[in-house]
mmCIF file of all heavy atoms in Angstrom:
data_model
loop_
_atom_site.group_PDB
_atom_site.id
_atom_site.type_symbol
_atom_site.label_atom_id
_atom_site.label_comp_id
_atom_site.label_asym_id
_atom_site.label_seq_id
_atom_site.Cartn_x
_atom_site.Cartn_y
_atom_site.Cartn_z
ATOM 1 N N MET K 5 56.107 70.531 83.305
ATOM 2 C CA MET K 5 56.453 71.858 83.250
ATOM 3 C C MET K 5 57.126 72.337 84.487
ATOM 4 O O MET K 5 56.875 72.092 85.571
ATOM 5 C CB MET K 5 54.992 72.707 83.230
ATOM 6 C CG MET K 5 55.302 74.202 82.802
ATOM 7 S SD MET K 5 55.838 74.482 81.209
ATOM 8 C CE MET K 5 54.374 74.275 80.289
ATOM 9 N N GLY K 6 58.298 72.980 84.279
ATOM 10 C CA GLY K 6 59.115 73.344 85.369
ATOM 11 C C GLY K 6 58.747 74.812 85.836
ATOM 12 O O GLY K 6 57.710 75.337 85.555
ATOM 13 N N LYS K 7 59.622 75.415 86.545
ATOM 14 C CA LYS K 7 59.368 76.615 87.133
ATOM 15 C C LYS K 7 59.403 77.726 86.041
ATOM 16 O O LYS K 7 58.584 78.659 86.249
ATOM 17 C CB LYS K 7 60.527 77.026 88.080
ATOM 18 C CG LYS K 7 60.233 78.010 89.063
ATOM 19 C CD LYS K 7 61.283 78.189 90.178
ATOM 20 C CE LYS K 7 60.960 79.335 91.175
ATOM 21 N NZ LYS K 7 62.020 79.404 92.129
ATOM 22 N N PHE K 8 60.183 77.675 84.999
ATOM 23 C CA PHE K 8 60.219 78.638 83.982
ATOM 24 C C PHE K 8 59.686 78.107 82.691
ATOM 25 O O PHE K 8 60.307 77.364 82.028
ATOM 26 C CB PHE K 8 61.625 79.168 83.865
ATOM 27 C CG PHE K 8 62.244 79.526 85.026
ATOM 28 C CD1 PHE K 8 63.197 78.781 85.792
ATOM 29 C CD2 PHE K 8 62.058 80.921 85.595
ATOM 30 C CE1 PHE K 8 63.707 79.275 87.038
ATOM 31 C CE2 PHE K 8 62.634 81.365 86.663
ATOM 32 C CZ PHE K 8 63.470 80.565 87.423
ATOM 33 N N ALA K 9 58.442 78.622 82.525
ATOM 34 C CA ALA K 9 57.693 77.974 81.246
ATOM 35 C C ALA K 9 58.482 78.406 79.984
ATOM 36 O O ALA K 9 58.580 77.485 79.054
ATOM 37 C CB ALA K 9 56.349 78.587 81.205
ATOM 38 N N LEU K 10 58.997 79.468 79.921
ATOM 39 C CA LEU K 10 59.717 79.808 78.723
ATOM 40 C C LEU K 10 60.990 79.041 78.425
ATOM 41 O O LEU K 10 61.233 78.570 77.362
ATOM 42 C CB LEU K 10 60.082 81.431 78.797
ATOM 43 C CG LEU K 10 60.663 81.997 77.439
ATOM 44 C CD1 LEU K 10 59.718 81.824 76.324
ATOM 45 C CD2 LEU K 10 61.072 83.363 77.649
ATOM 46 N N ALA K 11 61.657 78.820 79.587
ATOM 47 C CA ALA K 11 62.894 77.975 79.521
ATOM 48 C C ALA K 11 62.502 76.610 78.927
ATOM 49 O O ALA K 11 63.167 75.953 78.207
ATOM 50 C CB ALA K 11 63.627 77.957 80.808
ATOM 51 N N ASP K 12 61.438 75.982 79.588
ATOM 52 C CA ASP K 12 60.917 74.741 79.134
ATOM 53 C C ASP K 12 60.641 74.634 77.698
ATOM 54 O O ASP K 12 61.042 73.738 76.962
ATOM 55 C CB ASP K 12 59.712 74.290 79.918
ATOM 56 C CG ASP K 12 59.947 73.840 81.276
ATOM 57 O OD1 ASP K 12 61.193 73.682 81.656
ATOM 58 O OD2 ASP K 12 59.251 73.567 82.104
ATOM 59 N N ALA K 13 59.954 75.724 77.244
ATOM 60 C CA ALA K 13 59.571 75.783 75.747
ATOM 61 C C ALA K 13 60.855 75.728 74.958
ATOM 62 O O ALA K 13 60.940 75.034 73.985
ATOM 63 C CB ALA K 13 58.827 76.910 75.515
ATOM 64 N N GLU K 14 61.951 76.481 75.433
ATOM 65 C CA GLU K 14 63.118 76.632 74.603
ATOM 66 C C GLU K 14 63.972 75.301 74.674
ATOM 67 O O GLU K 14 64.352 74.872 73.742
ATOM 68 C CB GLU K 14 63.991 77.833 75.164
ATOM 69 C CG GLU K 14 63.391 79.092 74.799
ATOM 70 C CD GLU K 14 63.248 79.327 73.359
ATOM 71 O OE1 GLU K 14 64.183 79.084 72.504
ATOM 72 O OE2 GLU K 14 62.058 79.780 73.009
ATOM 73 N N LEU K 15 63.851 74.750 75.783
ATOM 74 C CA LEU K 15 64.676 73.431 75.921
ATOM 75 C C LEU K 15 64.137 72.338 75.150
ATOM 76 O O LEU K 15 64.860 71.408 74.599
ATOM 77 C CB LEU K 15 64.831 73.009 77.385
ATOM 78 C CG LEU K 15 65.715 73.776 78.257
ATOM 79 C CD1 LEU K 15 65.498 73.390 79.746
ATOM 80 C CD2 LEU K 15 67.157 73.744 77.775
ATOM 81 N N SER K 16 62.841 72.413 75.065
ATOM 82 C CA SER K 16 62.131 71.246 74.179
ATOM 83 C C SER K 16 62.360 71.436 72.760
ATOM 84 O O SER K 16 62.120 70.596 71.995
ATOM 85 C CB SER K 16 60.616 71.383 74.482
ATOM 86 O OG SER K 16 59.987 72.578 74.004
ATOM 87 N N LYS K 17 62.910 72.582 72.294
ATOM 88 C CA LYS K 17 63.222 72.704 70.985
ATOM 89 C C LYS K 17 64.690 72.338 70.610
ATOM 90 O O LYS K 17 65.003 72.499 69.457
ATOM 91 C CB LYS K 17 63.107 74.212 70.506
ATOM 92 C CG LYS K 17 61.686 74.669 70.566
ATOM 93 C CD LYS K 17 61.627 76.165 70.170
ATOM 94 C CE LYS K 17 60.524 76.853 70.562
ATOM 95 N NZ LYS K 17 60.664 78.370 70.544
ATOM 96 N N VAL K 18 65.430 71.837 71.711
ATOM 97 C CA VAL K 18 66.811 71.546 71.376
ATOM 98 C C VAL K 18 67.079 70.191 71.409
ATOM 99 O O VAL K 18 66.557 69.357 72.345
ATOM 100 C CB VAL K 18 67.587 72.361 72.485
ATOM 101 C CG1 VAL K 18 69.134 71.955 72.339
ATOM 102 C CG2 VAL K 18 67.424 73.800 72.387
ATOM 103 N N MET K 19 67.737 69.662 70.532
ATOM 104 C CA MET K 19 68.437 68.305 70.440
ATOM 105 C C MET K 19 69.894 68.420 70.706
ATOM 106 O O MET K 19 70.539 69.337 70.285
ATOM 107 C CB MET K 19 68.152 67.697 69.238
ATOM 108 C CG MET K 19 66.619 67.505 68.799
ATOM 109 S SD MET K 19 65.852 66.440 69.828
ATOM 110 C CE MET K 19 66.243 64.924 68.961
ATOM 111 N N ILE K 20 70.464 67.452 71.461
ATOM 112 C CA ILE K 20 71.850 67.510 71.700
ATOM 113 C C ILE K 20 72.522 66.246 70.990
ATOM 114 O O ILE K 20 72.121 65.225 71.022
ATOM 115 C CB ILE K 20 72.039 67.271 73.160
ATOM 116 C CG1 ILE K 20 71.355 68.446 73.967
ATOM 117 C CG2 ILE K 20 73.595 67.326 73.541
ATOM 118 C CD1 ILE K 20 71.970 69.842 73.678
ATOM 119 N N CYS K 21 73.605 66.518 70.275
ATOM 120 C CA CYS K 21 74.515 65.444 69.636
ATOM 121 C C CYS K 21 74.980 64.570 70.752
ATOM 122 O O CYS K 21 75.539 65.022 71.687
ATOM 123 C CB CYS K 21 75.643 66.197 68.926
ATOM 124 S SG CYS K 21 76.640 65.006 68.105
ATOM 125 N N LYS K 22 74.935 63.275 70.494
ATOM 126 C CA LYS K 22 75.515 62.272 71.459
ATOM 127 C C LYS K 22 76.893 62.370 71.362
ATOM 128 O O LYS K 22 77.633 61.755 72.382
ATOM 129 C CB LYS K 22 74.872 60.907 71.205
ATOM 130 C CG LYS K 22 73.466 60.782 71.586
ATOM 131 C CD LYS K 22 73.047 59.382 71.587
ATOM 132 C CE LYS K 22 71.723 59.290 72.075
ATOM 133 N NZ LYS K 22 71.124 57.838 72.013
ATOM 134 N N ARG K 23 77.553 62.741 70.332
ATOM 135 C CA ARG K 23 79.138 62.693 70.311
ATOM 136 C C ARG K 23 79.646 64.006 70.728
ATOM 137 O O ARG K 23 80.528 64.024 71.627
ATOM 138 C CB ARG K 23 79.467 62.369 68.751
ATOM 139 C CG ARG K 23 80.966 62.197 68.793
ATOM 140 C CD ARG K 23 81.319 61.392 67.397
ATOM 141 N NE ARG K 23 81.297 62.309 66.292
ATOM 142 C CZ ARG K 23 81.557 61.823 64.985
ATOM 143 N NH1 ARG K 23 81.896 60.740 64.879
ATOM 144 N NH2 ARG K 23 81.437 62.668 64.146
ATOM 145 N N CYS K 24 79.294 65.088 70.095
ATOM 146 C CA CYS K 24 79.938 66.374 70.456
ATOM 147 C C CYS K 24 79.201 67.290 71.498
ATOM 148 O O CYS K 24 79.635 68.349 71.754
ATOM 149 C CB CYS K 24 80.494 67.096 69.308
ATOM 150 S SG CYS K 24 79.142 67.908 68.311
ATOM 151 N N LYS K 25 77.991 66.844 71.632
ATOM 152 C CA LYS K 25 76.982 67.614 72.647
ATOM 153 C C LYS K 25 76.672 69.115 72.037
ATOM 154 O O LYS K 25 76.365 69.994 72.798
ATOM 155 C CB LYS K 25 77.486 67.721 73.901
ATOM 156 C CG LYS K 25 77.650 66.331 74.538
ATOM 157 C CD LYS K 25 78.272 66.462 75.883
ATOM 158 C CE LYS K 25 78.415 64.952 76.492
ATOM 159 N NZ LYS K 25 79.333 64.021 75.580
ATOM 160 N N ALA K 26 76.771 69.190 70.778
ATOM 161 C CA ALA K 26 76.356 70.560 70.115
ATOM 162 C C ALA K 26 74.754 70.564 70.219
ATOM 163 O O ALA K 26 74.145 69.485 70.089
ATOM 164 C CB ALA K 26 76.888 70.626 68.693
ATOM 165 N N ARG K 27 74.329 71.849 70.269
ATOM 166 C CA ARG K 27 72.897 72.055 70.149
ATOM 167 C C ARG K 27 72.340 71.922 68.767
ATOM 168 O O ARG K 27 73.058 72.510 67.767
ATOM 169 C CB ARG K 27 72.516 73.265 70.687
ATOM 170 C CG ARG K 27 72.644 73.305 72.241
ATOM 171 C CD ARG K 27 72.278 74.714 72.724
ATOM 172 N NE ARG K 27 72.209 74.713 74.153
ATOM 173 C CZ ARG K 27 71.341 75.364 74.908
ATOM 174 N NH1 ARG K 27 70.484 76.149 74.185
ATOM 175 N NH2 ARG K 27 71.358 75.280 76.187
ATOM 176 N N ASN K 28 71.220 71.339 68.534
ATOM 177 C CA ASN K 28 70.647 71.180 67.184
ATOM 178 C C ASN K 28 69.273 71.506 67.293
ATOM 179 O O ASN K 28 68.627 71.242 68.269
ATOM 180 C CB ASN K 28 70.914 69.881 66.508
ATOM 181 C CG ASN K 28 72.368 69.551 66.252
ATOM 182 O OD1 ASN K 28 72.928 69.756 65.202
ATOM 183 N ND2 ASN K 28 73.174 68.921 67.155
ATOM 184 N N ARG K 29 68.630 71.859 66.201
ATOM 185 C CA ARG K 29 67.109 72.095 66.160
ATOM 186 C C ARG K 29 66.503 70.772 66.213
ATOM 187 O O ARG K 29 66.898 69.694 65.694
ATOM 188 C CB ARG K 29 66.778 72.778 64.843
ATOM 189 C CG ARG K 29 67.193 74.249 64.920
ATOM 190 C CD ARG K 29 66.370 75.034 65.845
ATOM 191 N NE ARG K 29 66.390 76.403 65.668
ATOM 192 C CZ ARG K 29 65.679 77.040 64.741
ATOM 193 N NH1 ARG K 29 64.796 76.493 64.048
ATOM 194 N NH2 ARG K 29 65.733 78.424 64.709
ATOM 195 N N VAL K 30 65.251 70.722 66.869
ATOM 196 C CA VAL K 30 64.406 69.625 66.790
ATOM 197 C C VAL K 30 64.189 69.463 65.329
ATOM 198 O O VAL K 30 63.819 70.304 64.540
ATOM 199 C CB VAL K 30 63.131 69.845 67.563
ATOM 200 C CG1 VAL K 30 62.110 68.804 67.203
ATOM 201 C CG2 VAL K 30 63.377 69.808 69.102
ATOM 202 N N GLY K 31 64.072 68.214 64.790
ATOM 203 C CA GLY K 31 63.815 67.933 63.392
ATOM 204 C C GLY K 31 65.084 67.630 62.596
ATOM 205 O O GLY K 31 65.056 67.160 61.494
ATOM 206 N N ALA K 32 66.267 68.034 63.276
ATOM 207 C CA ALA K 32 67.389 67.828 62.469
ATOM 208 C C ALA K 32 67.903 66.262 62.576
ATOM 209 O O ALA K 32 67.593 65.618 63.504
ATOM 210 C CB ALA K 32 68.583 68.533 63.399
ATOM 211 N N THR K 33 68.205 65.898 61.455
ATOM 212 C CA THR K 33 68.614 64.481 61.303
ATOM 213 C C THR K 33 70.134 64.136 61.591
ATOM 214 O O THR K 33 70.353 63.090 61.824
ATOM 215 C CB THR K 33 68.332 63.978 59.784
ATOM 216 O OG1 THR K 33 68.879 64.785 58.894
ATOM 217 C CG2 THR K 33 66.764 64.020 59.618
ATOM 218 N N LYS K 34 70.825 65.164 61.497
ATOM 219 C CA LYS K 34 72.245 65.094 61.800
ATOM 220 C C LYS K 34 72.738 66.268 62.568
ATOM 221 O O LYS K 34 72.187 67.355 62.479
ATOM 222 C CB LYS K 34 73.143 64.941 60.535
ATOM 223 C CG LYS K 34 72.848 63.727 59.629
ATOM 224 C CD LYS K 34 73.892 63.637 58.576
ATOM 225 C CE LYS K 34 73.918 64.817 57.682
ATOM 226 N NZ LYS K 34 74.752 64.635 56.504
ATOM 227 N N CYS K 35 73.832 66.018 63.447
ATOM 228 C CA CYS K 35 74.400 67.093 63.958
ATOM 229 C C CYS K 35 74.937 68.112 62.924
ATOM 230 O O CYS K 35 75.571 67.739 62.124
ATOM 231 C CB CYS K 35 75.626 66.637 64.877
ATOM 232 S SG CYS K 35 76.492 67.849 65.677
ATOM 233 N N ARG K 36 74.682 69.431 63.251
ATOM 234 C CA ARG K 36 75.105 70.378 62.317
ATOM 235 C C ARG K 36 76.715 70.680 62.488
ATOM 236 O O ARG K 36 77.359 71.304 61.704
ATOM 237 C CB ARG K 36 74.430 71.711 62.573
ATOM 238 C CG ARG K 36 74.581 72.298 63.975
ATOM 239 C CD ARG K 36 73.737 73.660 64.109
ATOM 240 N NE ARG K 36 73.758 74.031 65.443
ATOM 241 C CZ ARG K 36 74.727 74.772 66.012
ATOM 242 N NH1 ARG K 36 75.780 75.088 65.333
ATOM 243 N NH2 ARG K 36 74.789 75.122 67.204
ATOM 244 N N HIS K 37 77.158 70.168 63.653
ATOM 245 C CA HIS K 37 78.587 70.505 64.063
ATOM 246 C C HIS K 37 79.578 69.408 63.446
ATOM 247 O O HIS K 37 80.439 69.607 62.802
ATOM 248 C CB HIS K 37 78.708 70.615 65.466
ATOM 249 C CG HIS K 37 80.047 71.122 65.905
ATOM 250 N ND1 HIS K 37 80.472 72.416 65.874
ATOM 251 C CD2 HIS K 37 81.051 70.470 66.537
ATOM 252 C CE1 HIS K 37 81.733 72.452 66.352
ATOM 253 N NE2 HIS K 37 82.027 71.334 66.751
ATOM 254 N N CYS K 38 79.069 68.123 63.706
ATOM 255 C CA CYS K 38 79.965 66.983 63.397
ATOM 256 C C CYS K 38 79.410 66.086 62.448
ATOM 257 O O CYS K 38 80.006 65.205 61.963
ATOM 258 C CB CYS K 38 80.473 66.304 64.673
ATOM 259 S SG CYS K 38 79.269 65.330 65.559
ATOM 260 N N GLY K 39 78.196 66.154 62.167
ATOM 261 C CA GLY K 39 77.481 65.257 61.192
ATOM 262 C C GLY K 39 76.967 63.998 61.782
ATOM 263 O O GLY K 39 76.412 63.120 60.988
ATOM 264 N N TYR K 40 77.069 63.741 63.102
ATOM 265 C CA TYR K 40 76.662 62.552 63.701
ATOM 266 C C TYR K 40 75.137 62.419 63.667
ATOM 267 O O TYR K 40 74.513 63.364 64.053
ATOM 268 C CB TYR K 40 77.274 62.649 65.127
ATOM 269 C CG TYR K 40 77.365 61.280 65.839
ATOM 270 C CD1 TYR K 40 78.052 60.286 65.424
ATOM 271 C CD2 TYR K 40 76.573 61.159 67.068
ATOM 272 C CE1 TYR K 40 78.036 59.101 66.124
ATOM 273 C CE2 TYR K 40 76.634 59.836 67.725
ATOM 274 C CZ TYR K 40 77.359 58.960 67.420
ATOM 275 O OH TYR K 40 77.249 57.800 67.995
ATOM 276 N N PRO K 41 74.598 61.339 63.290
ATOM 277 C CA PRO K 41 73.100 61.170 63.133
ATOM 278 C C PRO K 41 72.385 60.899 64.423
ATOM 279 O O PRO K 41 71.111 60.867 64.321
ATOM 280 C CB PRO K 41 73.017 60.035 62.126
ATOM 281 C CG PRO K 41 74.160 59.189 62.287
ATOM 282 C CD PRO K 41 75.391 60.061 62.859
ATOM 283 N N TYR K 42 73.030 60.593 65.467
ATOM 284 C CA TYR K 42 72.355 60.331 66.711
ATOM 285 C C TYR K 42 72.155 61.528 67.644
ATOM 286 O O TYR K 42 73.299 61.812 68.199
ATOM 287 C CB TYR K 42 72.976 59.087 67.409
ATOM 288 C CG TYR K 42 72.985 57.824 66.465
ATOM 289 C CD1 TYR K 42 74.199 57.471 65.942
ATOM 290 C CD2 TYR K 42 71.602 57.249 66.302
ATOM 291 C CE1 TYR K 42 74.102 56.337 65.030
ATOM 292 C CE2 TYR K 42 71.823 56.088 65.446
ATOM 293 C CZ TYR K 42 72.949 55.624 64.846
ATOM 294 O OH TYR K 42 72.919 54.667 64.033
ATOM 295 N N LEU K 43 71.024 61.991 67.753
ATOM 296 C CA LEU K 43 70.652 63.012 68.633
ATOM 297 C C LEU K 43 69.723 62.723 69.646
ATOM 298 O O LEU K 43 68.874 61.881 69.506
ATOM 299 C CB LEU K 43 70.087 64.284 67.884
ATOM 300 C CG LEU K 43 70.849 64.650 66.549
ATOM 301 C CD1 LEU K 43 70.145 65.801 65.752
ATOM 302 C CD2 LEU K 43 72.327 65.210 66.955
ATOM 303 N N ARG K 44 69.789 63.390 70.845
ATOM 304 C CA ARG K 44 69.001 63.176 71.928
ATOM 305 C C ARG K 44 68.189 64.480 72.277
ATOM 306 O O ARG K 44 68.786 65.571 72.163
ATOM 307 C CB ARG K 44 69.555 62.518 73.240
ATOM 308 C CG ARG K 44 70.602 63.394 73.832
ATOM 309 C CD ARG K 44 70.937 62.977 75.151
ATOM 310 N NE ARG K 44 72.105 63.796 75.682
ATOM 311 C CZ ARG K 44 71.907 65.004 76.318
ATOM 312 N NH1 ARG K 44 70.636 65.540 76.500
ATOM 313 N NH2 ARG K 44 72.936 65.627 76.771
ATOM 314 N N PRO K 45 66.942 64.415 72.825
ATOM 315 C CA PRO K 45 66.451 65.666 73.335
ATOM 316 C C PRO K 45 67.191 66.190 74.430
ATOM 317 O O PRO K 45 67.609 65.260 75.283
ATOM 318 C CB PRO K 45 64.922 65.243 73.615
ATOM 319 C CG PRO K 45 64.722 63.872 73.277
ATOM 320 C CD PRO K 45 66.088 63.264 72.952
ATOM 321 N N LYS K 46 67.132 67.307 74.690
ATOM 322 C CA LYS K 46 67.905 67.960 75.802
ATOM 323 C C LYS K 46 67.116 67.678 77.077
ATOM 324 O O LYS K 46 65.827 67.611 77.121
ATOM 325 C CB LYS K 46 68.068 69.475 75.690
ATOM 326 C CG LYS K 46 68.876 70.107 76.843
ATOM 327 C CD LYS K 46 69.276 71.479 76.463
ATOM 328 C CE LYS K 46 70.044 72.118 77.637
ATOM 329 N NZ LYS K 46 71.383 71.437 77.805
ATOM 330 N N ARG K 47 67.723 67.115 78.019
ATOM 331 C CA ARG K 47 67.049 66.768 79.264
ATOM 332 C C ARG K 47 66.361 67.912 79.839
ATOM 333 O O ARG K 47 66.795 69.036 80.161
ATOM 334 C CB ARG K 47 68.140 66.259 80.324
ATOM 335 C CG ARG K 47 67.689 65.734 81.701
ATOM 336 C CD ARG K 47 67.103 64.274 81.541
ATOM 337 N NE ARG K 47 68.179 63.326 81.092
ATOM 338 C CZ ARG K 47 67.890 62.138 80.706
ATOM 339 N NH1 ARG K 47 66.689 61.791 80.432
ATOM 340 N NH2 ARG K 47 68.903 61.310 80.489
ATOM 341 N N LYS K 48 65.091 67.576 80.228
ATOM 342 C CA LYS K 48 64.038 68.580 80.865
ATOM 343 C C LYS K 48 63.675 68.305 82.105
ATOM 344 O O LYS K 48 63.136 68.994 83.017
ATOM 345 C CB LYS K 48 62.873 68.859 80.009
ATOM 346 C CG LYS K 48 63.108 69.559 78.677
ATOM 347 C CD LYS K 48 61.994 69.572 77.850
ATOM 348 C CE LYS K 48 61.552 68.112 77.350
ATOM 349 N NZ LYS K 48 60.392 68.259 76.529
ATOM 350 N N ASP K 49 63.906 67.032 82.554
ATOM 351 C CA ASP K 49 63.303 66.500 83.802
ATOM 352 C C ASP K 49 64.350 66.122 84.795
ATOM 353 O O ASP K 49 64.334 65.214 85.483
ATOM 354 C CB ASP K 49 62.367 65.229 83.505
ATOM 355 C CG ASP K 49 63.137 64.191 82.873
ATOM 356 O OD1 ASP K 49 64.305 64.451 82.496
ATOM 357 O OD2 ASP K 49 62.590 63.096 82.727
ATOM 358 N N ILE K 50 65.324 67.115 84.883
ATOM 359 C CA ILE K 50 66.320 66.948 86.019
ATOM 360 C C ILE K 50 65.570 67.072 87.368
ATOM 361 O O ILE K 50 64.899 67.984 87.554
ATOM 362 C CB ILE K 50 67.454 68.028 85.860
ATOM 363 C CG1 ILE K 50 68.109 67.814 84.419
ATOM 364 C CG2 ILE K 50 68.480 67.986 86.968
ATOM 365 C CD1 ILE K 50 69.011 68.998 84.005
ATOM 366 N N LYS K 51 66.025 66.152 88.195
ATOM 367 C CA LYS K 51 65.414 66.272 89.661
ATOM 368 C C LYS K 51 66.095 67.349 90.371
ATOM 369 O O LYS K 51 67.225 67.582 90.307
ATOM 370 C CB LYS K 51 65.576 64.893 90.359
ATOM 371 C CG LYS K 51 64.653 63.829 89.828
ATOM 372 C CD LYS K 51 65.025 62.503 90.481
ATOM 373 C CE LYS K 51 64.014 61.415 89.946
ATOM 374 N NZ LYS K 51 64.425 60.034 90.412
ATOM 375 N N VAL K 52 65.295 68.091 91.125
ATOM 376 C CA VAL K 52 65.760 69.153 91.967
ATOM 377 C C VAL K 52 65.513 68.842 93.379
ATOM 378 O O VAL K 52 64.700 68.090 93.806
ATOM 379 C CB VAL K 52 65.044 70.509 91.565
ATOM 380 C CG1 VAL K 52 65.506 70.841 90.273
ATOM 381 C CG2 VAL K 52 63.567 70.288 91.845
ATOM 382 N N LYS K 53 66.467 69.243 94.243
ATOM 383 C CA LYS K 53 66.372 69.037 95.687
ATOM 384 C C LYS K 53 65.197 69.923 96.268
ATOM 385 O O LYS K 53 65.066 70.980 95.806
ATOM 386 C CB LYS K 53 67.668 69.450 96.396
ATOM 387 C CG LYS K 53 68.807 68.516 96.115
ATOM 388 C CD LYS K 53 69.940 69.007 96.956
ATOM 389 C CE LYS K 53 71.103 68.459 96.308
ATOM 390 N NZ LYS K 53 72.440 69.013 97.051
ATOM 391 N N LYS K 54 64.484 69.400 97.194
ATOM 392 C CA LYS K 54 63.401 70.063 97.845
ATOM 393 C C LYS K 54 63.922 70.828 99.011
ATOM 394 O O LYS K 54 64.748 70.222 99.798
ATOM 395 C CB LYS K 54 62.364 69.211 98.256
ATOM 396 C CG LYS K 54 61.585 68.779 96.970
ATOM 397 C CD LYS K 54 60.051 68.933 97.133
ATOM 398 C CE LYS K 54 59.387 68.802 95.950
ATOM 399 N NZ LYS K 54 57.887 68.316 96.191
HETATM 400 ZN ZN1 ZN E 127 77.873 66.527 66.906
#
């Protein structure tokens, strides 16, 4: 959980196309933009400087 709980919740619902990087819903089997079937979850654990 990051600093912004709401943002975390929203990011966790997003999948990113590995080809065109369009946002897709979680549960999508293909990119809605280009039809590419390989999606990744949007990165949530980006390291931050202290
Ligand atoms: Zn795509």
Side-chain angles (χ1 to χ4, degrees):
M5 193 65 84
K7 194 172 182 181
F8 302 101
L10 186 63
D12 281 354
E14 290 302 310
L15 288 176
S16 68
K17 293 179 200 166
V18 177
M19 300 290 278
I20 303 295
C21 174
K22 286 187 174 180
R23 186 159 76 177
C24 74
K25 298 175 178 65
R27 288 177 170 220
N28 290 271
R29 284 293 193 85
V30 165
T33 52
K34 293 191 297 187
C35 174
R36 65 181 168 80
H37 188 75
C38 70
Y40 195 63
Y42 299 104
L43 307 176
R44 65 167 172 81
K46 188 164 177 65
R47 184 77 66 195
K48 286 177 291 181
D49 56 350
I50 296 169
K51 288 181 183 172
V52 291
K53 287 186 200 167
K54 283 226 171 152

